[in-house]
């Protein structure tokens, strides 16, 4: 089957003027924002929307040139199939018989000859071209800088028009390529870019050996919003104006601003209103459901990410090249298990440490999924057999034994297993949310085979963090005496957390996720919560051929 259409024809017919601005600034920024529909706010974008609030509402009549004169109008939308462009003009002013598009910008004019950067000038030129296409006389535009309240004139001369048309043509070629352009190298533009935490320019360039400079600390700080956990049985989550209201019968349990919630996590018999779900969908805040005992059982969120190419590559890698990724994930987990034992054991066993090192090396070069599973299973047996040597106060807790054979989940036979299962559920939830937000299918993994209802990719990425996050929190809770026998309940041989025990564990888990560590590869300080996102984005970068291989997160 053949087609007369080129790949460029697959790009949507109308290109927004703002995308010409983004493309001029950075082709990769344009691709991530327009093609992959990625977006993140920073101070500049929020301030820009604030300054635009006065010109976003339509006002004023805009007759065609042969129907009357334009006086002044706001939020004027124009498009042209011939030019393949669409724009919303903030303010349309007049000077005699000519019209002047005015674009609102934050800040002050830059100290350059044109008193405006190229991205702003070409975006304005697009508006001029559209006005000319519709028959208006338009020789110049203006940029209104809100910071200094001054207007800078931009003449639509031939060099600017030629440059604008060239960028439009190049933009369509890049959009049709199906893969994002590489990041800018050591660029001063990157620190101010709102998508820097998605693009990871310095990290990707370092792993792709495009630069020898160590990465700058460009990854944004964690959002101030945090997961909201509701574990009171019979509770109801409703909405009142901009707040989540948690009640039980007629008792008000808590009231939390929606702006402070990054996830809504519900345990057991907790109900949530449809109004809350709709509001959370609009805010891109997922709702996660757990069983009473902490088993992660489901998630509700808005529409999935539009990065179709990433999911396509994920499926291809699953069928053709998933083993190298799985090998690195398992090797990373085993190395981190070894690190945990080396740092925390009371009775150092060099034979076990040497065996774990050898098994990690064997996992890296595994020739089949079955052999990789064998290396991981052997390492798990050694690690859990030695785990009691890292514990201090476990004898005070329900259950008396812990060994690899005793690592059972349904139900956990002792307090240690109970804590691990609960924490592993939290970790898998975190990575399921992260995978979904990036654009992965969280149910298609490389090490954990796809199975009904199992977020296999999230389980893959959780492997290297089980020792560093979940096991570490369990050791802290037990060894510091933060959990007491009263925090557990024993029923028919199974051990579960009480409501008070869950609160203690959730608080310790959130402390761990907010803890800062020095990234072993990139050298900057970063929280564990942000590390999870960076690792998932590096996996995406590998699948999209931005970096040659996936590197697991391991501490020394």
């Amino acid at each position: 089957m053949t087609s007369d259409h080129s790949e460029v024809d697959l790009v949507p017919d109308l290109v927004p003027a703002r995308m010409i601005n983004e493309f001029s600034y950075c082709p990769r920024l344009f691709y991530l924002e327009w093609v992959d529909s990625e977006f993140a706010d920073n101070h500049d974008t929020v301030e820009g929307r604030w300054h635009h609030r006065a010109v976003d509402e339509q006002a004023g009549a805009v007759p065609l040139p042969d129907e009357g004169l334009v006086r002044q109008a706001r939020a004027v939308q124009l498009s042209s199939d011939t030019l393949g462009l669409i724009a919303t003009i903030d303010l349309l002013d007049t000077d005699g018989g000519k019209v002047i598009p005015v674009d609102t910008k934050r800040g002050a004019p830059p100290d350059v000859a044109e008193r405006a950067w190229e991205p702003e000038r070409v975006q304005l030129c697009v508006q001029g071209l559209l006005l000319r296409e519709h028959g208006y006389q338009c020789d110049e535009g203006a940029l209104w800088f809100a910071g200094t309240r001054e207007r800078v004139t931009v003449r639509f001369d031939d060099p600017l028009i030629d440059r604008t048309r060239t960028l439009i043509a190049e933009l369509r070629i890049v959009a049709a390529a199906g893969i994002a352009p590489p990041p800018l190298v050591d660029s001063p533009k990157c620190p101010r870019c709102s998508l820097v935490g998605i693009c990871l320019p310095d990290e990707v360039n370092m792993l792709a050996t495009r630069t020898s400079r160590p990465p700058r600390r460009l990854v944004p700080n964690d959002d101030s919003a945090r997961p909201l956990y509701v574990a009171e049985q019979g509770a109801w989550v409703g909405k009142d104006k901009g707040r989540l209201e948690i009640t039980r019968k007629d008792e008000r349990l808590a009231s939390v601003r929606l702006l402070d919630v990054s996830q809504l996590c519900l345990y057991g018999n907790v109900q949530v209103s449809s109004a809350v779900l709709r509001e959370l969908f609009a805010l891109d805040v997922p709702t996660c459901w757990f069983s009473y005992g902490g088993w992660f059982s489901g998630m509700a969120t808005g529409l999935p990410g539009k990065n179709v190419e990433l999911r396509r590559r994920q499926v291809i890698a699953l069928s053709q090249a998933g083993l190298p990724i799985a090998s690195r994930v398992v090797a990373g987990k085993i190395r981190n298990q070894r690190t945990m034992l080396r740092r925390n054991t009371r009775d150092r066993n060099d034979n076990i440490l040497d065996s774990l090192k050898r098994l990690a090396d064997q996992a890296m070069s595994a020739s089949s999924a079955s052999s990789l599973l064998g290396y991981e299973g052997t390492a798990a047996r050694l690690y859990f057999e030695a785990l009691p040597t890292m514990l201090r106060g476990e004898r005070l807790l329900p259950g008396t034994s812990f060994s690899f054979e005793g690592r059972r989940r349904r139900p956990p036979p002792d307090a240690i297993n109970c804590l691990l299962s609960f924490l592993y559920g939290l970790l898998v939830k975190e990575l399921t949310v992260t995978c979904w937000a990036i654009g992965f299918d969280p149910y298609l993994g490389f090490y954990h085979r796809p199975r009904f209802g199992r977020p296999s990719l999230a389980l893959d990425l959780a492997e290297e963090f089980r020792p560093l996050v979940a096991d570490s929190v369990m050791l802290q809770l037990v060894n510091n005496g933060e959990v007491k026998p009263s925090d557990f309940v024993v029923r028919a041989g199974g051990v579960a957390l009480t409501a008070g025990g869950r609160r203690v564990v959730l608080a310790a888990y959130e402390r761990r996720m907010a803890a800062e560590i020095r990234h072993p590869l990139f050298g900057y300080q970063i929280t564990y919560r942000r590390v999870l996102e960076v690792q998932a984005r590096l996996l995406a970068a590998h699948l999209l051929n931005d970096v040659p291989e996936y590197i697991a997160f391991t501490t020394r």
Side-chain angles (χ1 to χ4, degrees):
M1 182 175 179
T2 61
S3 173
D4 294 331
H5 296 286
S6 67
E7 289 198 9
V8 176
D9 293 331
L10 300 177
V11 179
D13 293 335
L14 299 179
V15 178
R18 188 173 64 84
M19 289 299 107
I20 310 299
N21 180 318
E22 308 287 43
F23 185 79
S24 174
Y25 187 84
C26 170
R28 183 176 176 88
L29 169 63
F30 151 77
Y31 192 97
L32 293 175
E33 190 167 331
W34 196 47
V35 180
D36 290 346
S37 297
E38 299 271 17
F39 185 76
D41 268 321
N42 65 3
H43 175 270
D44 292 345
T45 60
V46 172
E47 183 182 350
R49 282 201 301 274
W50 170 258
H51 289 308
H52 268 85
R53 72 194 187 283
V55 294
D56 283 343
E57 295 185 10
Q58 293 184 353
V62 188
L64 291 171
D66 56 355
E67 297 176 351
L69 295 176
V70 176
R71 297 187 183 279
Q72 193 178 73
R74 293 198 303 267
V76 179
Q77 189 173 85
L78 293 174
S79 67
S80 166
D81 292 332
T82 303
L83 295 172
L85 300 171
I86 185 171
T88 298
I89 301 171
D90 290 344
L91 177 67
L92 190 58
D93 213 342
T94 59
D95 181 13
K98 300 178 181 179
V99 294
I100 301 173
V102 182
D103 207 19
T104 301
K105 299 298 178 185
R106 57 172 295 278
D111 187 17
V112 294
E114 299 88 351
R115 303 197 68 215
W117 299 115
E118 181 190 82
E120 285 72 35
R121 290 187 289 114
V122 296
Q123 180 180 356
L124 194 61
C125 186
V126 165
Q127 299 177 13
L129 293 175
L130 285 169
L131 287 165
R132 290 184 180 184
E133 174 77 10
H134 283 76
Y136 297 98
Q137 187 176 354
C138 182
D139 299 327
E140 64 184 39
L143 297 169
W144 167 255
F145 288 92
T148 55
R149 301 187 63 81
E150 59 183 310
R151 182 182 283 200
V152 172
T153 298
V154 177
R155 292 197 57 79
F156 301 145
D157 55 20
D158 290 342
L160 179 58
I161 292 174
D162 290 345
R163 175 59 177 161
T164 302
R165 291 185 181 277
T166 298
L167 288 171
I168 294 169
E170 292 176 351
L171 173 150
R172 288 188 167 275
I173 293 172
V174 169
I179 193 72
L184 303 178
V185 178
D186 301 329
S187 173
K189 296 179 180 180
C190 295
R192 298 297 296 269
C193 178
S194 65
L195 297 194
V196 68
I198 295 171
C199 172
L200 300 178
D202 288 8
E203 293 86 346
V204 167
N205 283 326
M206 189 192 89
L207 295 176
T209 64
R210 297 190 190 97
T211 180
S212 58
R213 291 179 57 180
R216 296 164 289 181
R217 204 313 187 169
L218 301 179
V219 176
N221 294 324
D222 285 10
D223 193 348
S224 59
R226 289 288 180 266
L228 174 62
Y229 300 94
V230 184
E232 296 293 334
Q233 299 306 284
W236 171 265
V237 184
K239 182 176 77 74
D240 183 18
K241 297 178 182 177
R243 304 184 72 87
L244 291 181
E245 302 289 343
I246 298 95
T247 58
R248 184 175 54 190
K249 296 182 178 178
D250 295 328
E251 180 186 5
R252 187 186 193 189
L253 302 178
S255 177
V256 183
R257 293 192 312 167
L258 275 163
L259 293 175
D260 294 331
V261 178
S262 63
Q263 304 166 15
L264 177 61
C265 303
L266 310 175
Y267 284 82
N269 183 27
V270 177
Q271 305 298 319
V272 59
S273 74
S274 58
V276 168
L277 291 176
R278 286 196 302 270
E279 187 72 19
L280 295 180
F281 289 168
L283 296 172
D284 289 329
V285 173
T287 301
C288 303
W289 280 269
F290 296 80
S291 68
Y292 180 81
W295 182 257
F296 179 45
S297 55
M299 181 178 75
T301 186
L303 294 173
K306 298 178 182 178
N307 194 342
V308 176
E309 184 62 22
L310 175 58
R311 289 194 290 278
R312 191 179 74 86
R313 298 292 185 99
Q314 182 184 359
V315 171
I316 292 172
L318 177 66
S319 61
Q320 297 181 359
L323 182 61
I325 297 173
S327 295
R328 290 179 176 275
V329 164
V330 171
K333 175 188 179 181
I334 296 173
R335 290 190 177 113
N336 287 332
Q337 288 175 328
R338 182 176 183 273
T339 297
M340 287 293 293
L341 286 174
R342 187 166 48 83
R343 289 179 178 176
N344 299 288
T345 185
R346 293 169 300 173
D347 184 16
R348 182 183 176 103
N349 187 323
D350 288 333
N351 289 333
I352 290 180
L353 295 177
D354 291 343
S355 295
L356 290 175
K357 183 178 184 303
R358 183 179 65 257
L359 287 165
D361 293 339
Q362 290 173 324
M364 281 290 290
S365 57
S367 58
S368 66
S370 58
S371 62
L372 182 61
L373 188 65
Y375 300 139
E376 193 270 339
T378 302
R381 176 179 59 79
L382 293 172
Y383 174 72
F384 283 110
E385 283 178 357
L387 189 143
T389 67
M390 296 189 285
L391 297 170
R392 305 290 187 271
E394 76 281 4
R395 295 187 184 278
L396 302 176
L397 301 177
T400 58
S401 65
F402 185 80
S403 65
F404 179 70
E405 290 75 18
R407 175 69 186 110
R408 297 197 303 272
R409 299 174 298 169
R410 298 184 178 180
D414 54 63
I416 305 302
N417 270 302
C418 173
L419 289 170
L420 287 176
S421 293
F422 190 87
L423 289 162
Y424 289 160
L426 287 171
L427 186 58
V428 171
K429 173 268 299 183
E430 205 80 43
L431 282 159
T432 302
V433 170
T434 300
C435 288
W436 184 267
I438 289 173
F440 282 113
D441 183 338
Y443 291 90
L444 293 179
F446 302 105
Y447 179 57
H448 293 84
R449 294 295 92 186
R451 183 185 299 171
F452 176 79
R454 182 168 75 172
S456 298
L457 182 63
L459 288 165
D460 286 354
L461 289 168
E463 288 298 310
E464 59 207 69
F465 293 103
R466 288 179 189 266
L468 302 178
V469 175
D471 297 0
S472 178
V473 172
M474 181 275 293
L475 291 176
Q476 172 192 330
L477 289 166
V478 174
N479 293 343
N480 293 347
E482 295 183 45
V483 287
K484 308 285 193 298
S486 59
D487 292 322
F488 301 87
V489 60
V490 181
R491 290 193 180 96
V495 178
L497 284 162
T498 64
R502 280 197 296 268
R503 285 193 290 269
V504 172
V505 177
L506 289 170
Y509 171 80
E510 285 299 318
R511 286 200 304 272
R512 185 63 171 175
M513 295 300 288
E516 284 199 348
I517 59 167
R518 182 173 293 279
H519 197 289
L521 194 60
F522 304 133
Y524 49 61
Q525 294 291 117
I526 188 172
T527 66
Y528 268 110
R529 177 163 274 121
R530 187 64 76 183
V531 165
L532 299 184
E533 180 188 350
V534 168
Q535 284 302 112
R537 291 200 179 278
L538 290 178
L539 175 59
H542 169 57
L543 294 178
L544 294 170
N545 293 329
D546 278 341
V547 298
E549 59 191 15
Y550 174 72
I551 299 178
F553 182 89
T554 56
T555 58
R556 297 181 177 86

